[in-house]
Amino acid sequence: MTAHVYKITEVVGSSTISMEDAIKTAVHEASQTLRHLRWFEVTETRGHINEGVVAHWQVTLKIGFTMEPEGANK
Amino acid sequence: MTAHVYKITEVVGSSTISMEDAIKTAVHEASQTLRHLRWFEVTETRGHINEGVVAHWQVTLKIGFTMEPEGANK
Amino acid sequence: MTAHVYKITEVVGSSTISMEDAIKTAVHEASQTLRHLRWFEVTETRGHINEGVVAHWQVTLKIGFTMEPEGANK
Amino acid sequence: MTAHVYKITEVVGSSTISMEDAIKTAVHEASQTLRHLRWFEVTETRGHINEGVVAHWQVTLKIGFTMEPEGANK
Amino acid sequence: MTAHVYKITEVVGSSTISMEDAIKTAVHEASQTLRHLRWFEVTETRGHINEGVVAHWQVTLKIGFTMEPEGANK
Amino acid sequence: MTAHVYKITEVVGSSTISMEDAIKTAVHEASQTLRHLRWFEVTETRGHINEGVVAHWQVTLKIGFTMEPEGANK
Amino acid sequence: MTAHVYKITEVVGSSTISMEDAIKTAVHEASQTLRHLRWFEVTETRGHINEGVVAHWQVTLKIGFTMEPEGANK
Amino acid sequence: MTAHVYKITEVVGSSTISMEDAIKTAVHEASQTLRHLRWFEVTETRGHINEGVVAHWQVTLKIGFTMEPEGANK
Amino acid sequence: MTAHVYKITEVVGSSTISMEDAIKTAVHEASQTLRHLRWFEVTETRGHINEGVVAHWQVTLKIGFTMEPEGANK
Amino acid sequence: MTAHVYKITEVVGSSTISMEDAIKTAVHEASQTLRHLRWFEVTETRGHINEGVVAHWQVTLKIGFTMEPEGANK
Amino acid sequence: MTAHVYKITEVVGSSTISMEDAIKTAVHEASQTLRHLRWFEVTETRGHINEGVVAHWQVTLKIGFTMEPEGANK
Amino acid sequence: MTAHVYKITEVVGSSTISMEDAIKTAVHEASQTLRHLRWFEVTETRGHINEGVVAHWQVTLKIGFTMEPEGANK
């Protein structure tokens, strides 16, 4: 078995809908420039408040990915 | 530019529906007595279990706010 | 009042739907073998990504329970 | 079931006797101005030393309370 | 020398008297079902407040134990 | 010796000049509404960037104070 | 796809040889009573010293496993 | 409102003058290759000592930025 | 006012009686070789278990002290 | 002396042999695309288990590097 | 290349002027009794408040040093 | 049983060979000036990179020791 190396990038996704949607937005955006995304880990959950209600959900993620074209399963 | 000072209060919101709803409940309650709420940060996510199912979602938040009447954007 | 002792078990629930669903799955599974579950605390939120979208939500929980048949409220 | 919101205040109690006494002092003082205290959590334990012996025990607590007049049990 | 393996279990002891008593209660309860308990580590100290005074001390412990019948000293 | 109780409030000071100035701003603002401030502890240091340069320093502090009119020295 | 639930157990492995050997010992011991071990995470690395040299390596692990007979890949 | 995604990069700035200068140096360097820097957070403060005096201040920062050409305010 | 420098030493006190007694033991022992001890902070609370009961309380402390002969009050 | 700026990248190396080998693999892979690597820091140690034995060691590293052609020593 | 061993000492510097000055004070004091100081790391930043203004800055440092007479560069 | 007091010292060992060797180096060096070393705990693992390969392993340890001539077993 070959030795895999994963890289980790850190992004903040935001959404007006939900925490899951903020995460999906971040993963989608990351997938535009990076291929072979494998996993994520939430490191911070924040949000903005406007006029007394939650205006944005902001979730910070670490996303792991690999350069290898195939089959690295973590 | 003037120097802003934010204050931070810590609250726990609960909900029988979802984590987002627990957060919205906490923000709404805080907005009843504090004006100019700006942002929140989740510090703990817990819940109660009854008869083997989740009965309440409980989310602890730090909420930042300012006394200033206008325009402080963080 | 008698002195209660709670035990804590750690589980990871997964779901293709949402973070709340991953937690509910974990609590439900734990309730199959342990009675008198009382509370949970989220310790880690991760997920798997496949083809650029979130494939699974994975939430790690500590779950507190007691052996006592009745009435321990925390 | 209604949605509860707890507030959290942070205090430092001190005592010349013991750590428990420092906590009791803090809880008692908080109860003078806040009603419906529900739980506490210790976040730091320190003390002062004088002439080579412990002079004060100082315990920092987060105390959760609710504005509701009745029945919120955590 | 043989290689020892310790297992760790996490429990919450409660007491109306003191933090030490909450710990003793947890250790005693664990000793009813597990033999060869070796050490504990406090991970959290909390409590319940009723009518403005501390009603319960709640201390969370990790307890290390071994299956071996004899002599494992840590 | 009497038993002192300190309260802790959390604030964020900002400044266009320096981290020390952000802290001084926060302490000054807190002193407008709270008397007998005793100590502070930095919990987070952040800032805003505009046009590639630091526009604001933002320092989060916990500030300890006491209600007592005299002589509590920590 | 079905929803998986992993359980986590915490163990301390020791070895007179190396940190890797202490981990292998812990995993091997856990595999005697638990099937379907999937991953581990190191949470603490300690050791004992005797006569000025390292006598034991002690590594604390969290080990994730599943009850399912087949195919859960993390 | 569109959903923003911020990226986070981690850098260490150094300076012989002050901590603020080390941060400014890091932000300036990052602005040479990344546009639309928005905020920073200090994660570590270290320094080198030479001949008994501080020779360099070294501050580690996380810097958030966005690809969007306009108007993302956090 | 002159600039004070405190030094910090880390010790573990043990006792068969209580956590406070373990701390007092550590402070007393430290005072045998160091003068002008000023404060302590608890960083870890552990203990040994023998025959199913707590045999020792072990508390790890950081102790601050100063070389100055007089009057440094923290 | 000029002011240096280091960048930090986060990678996960894996190996079937040892933790050191996983780190070496990660450093080697990073050196293929980044020059002037200076130091690393381990942030997480995990592994996969297959058939009751450790199948992979996975070590997460932060790696510091600089763009400068020469002589930055940390 | 020989194997270096660094020792770490922990000190608190104070100053009425700035955080940098508190650090310089601590490093200077440490250099009076220890030679070959190499680096420091800030672990805590606190201060005292008097009459509503910052009276002292107090910065806790870990300082690394070596016994070796020459050339250990970290 | 008498009350033991352990002291803790913090050191960084380095090695060109492995993490275990860096730890052994640190323990050996500490044993030259301190007797009755009892245990260690790893607090940080770092290293230096030169020409794209790991040049040194650097492991930071806390080492516990006692002044007592005999028999303190932890």
Side-chain angles (χ1 to χ4, degrees), chain J:
Chain J
M1 179 179 282
T2 62
H4 302 299
V5 176
Y6 302 88
K7 294 177 193 289
I8 294 176
T9 187
E10 194 167 13
V11 295
V12 186
S14 73
S15 163
T16 57
I17 300 170
S18 70
M19 298 191 289
E20 278 89 349
D21 194 57
I23 293 170
K24 286 177 186 170
T25 300
V27 169
H28 179 264
E29 181 70 19
S31 73
Q32 300 304 101
T33 52
L34 298 168
R35 299 178 58 195
H36 307 302
L37 305 182
R38 301 291 179 190
W39 84 90
F40 69 87
E41 179 182 352
V42 172
T43 57
E44 198 174 58
T45 304
R46 302 171 72 107
H48 284 207
I49 303 170
N50 199 218
E51 302 284 333
V53 296
V54 177
H56 287 81
W57 306 90
Q58 289 187 311
V59 184
T60 306
L61 307 179
K62 293 200 175 188
I63 299 180
F65 60 99
T66 177
M67 293 306 190
E68 293 147 333
E70 200 259 19
N73 63 331
K74 196 214 170 197

Side-chain angles (χ1 to χ4, degrees), chain I residues 43-60:
Chain I
T43 58
E44 198 174 59
T45 304
R46 302 171 72 106
H48 284 208
I49 303 169
N50 199 218
E51 302 284 332
V53 297
V54 177
H56 287 82
W57 306 90
Q58 288 187 312
V59 184
T60 307

Side-chain angles (χ1 to χ4, degrees), chain C residues 7-64:
Chain C
K7 294 177 193 288
I8 295 177
T9 187
E10 194 167 13
V11 295
V12 186
S14 73
S15 163
T16 58
I17 299 170
S18 71
M19 298 191 289
E20 278 89 349
D21 194 57
I23 293 170
K24 287 176 185 171
T25 300
V27 170
H28 179 264
E29 182 70 19
S31 74
Q32 300 304 101
T33 53
L34 298 169
R35 297 179 60 196
H36 307 302
L37 305 183
R38 301 292 179 190
W39 84 91
F40 69 87
E41 178 182 352
V42 173
T43 57
E44 197 174 59
T45 304
R46 301 171 73 106
H48 284 207
I49 303 169
N50 199 217
E51 302 284 332
V53 296
V54 176
H56 287 81
W57 306 90
Q58 289 187 312
V59 185
T60 306
L61 307 179
K62 293 200 175 187
I63 298 181

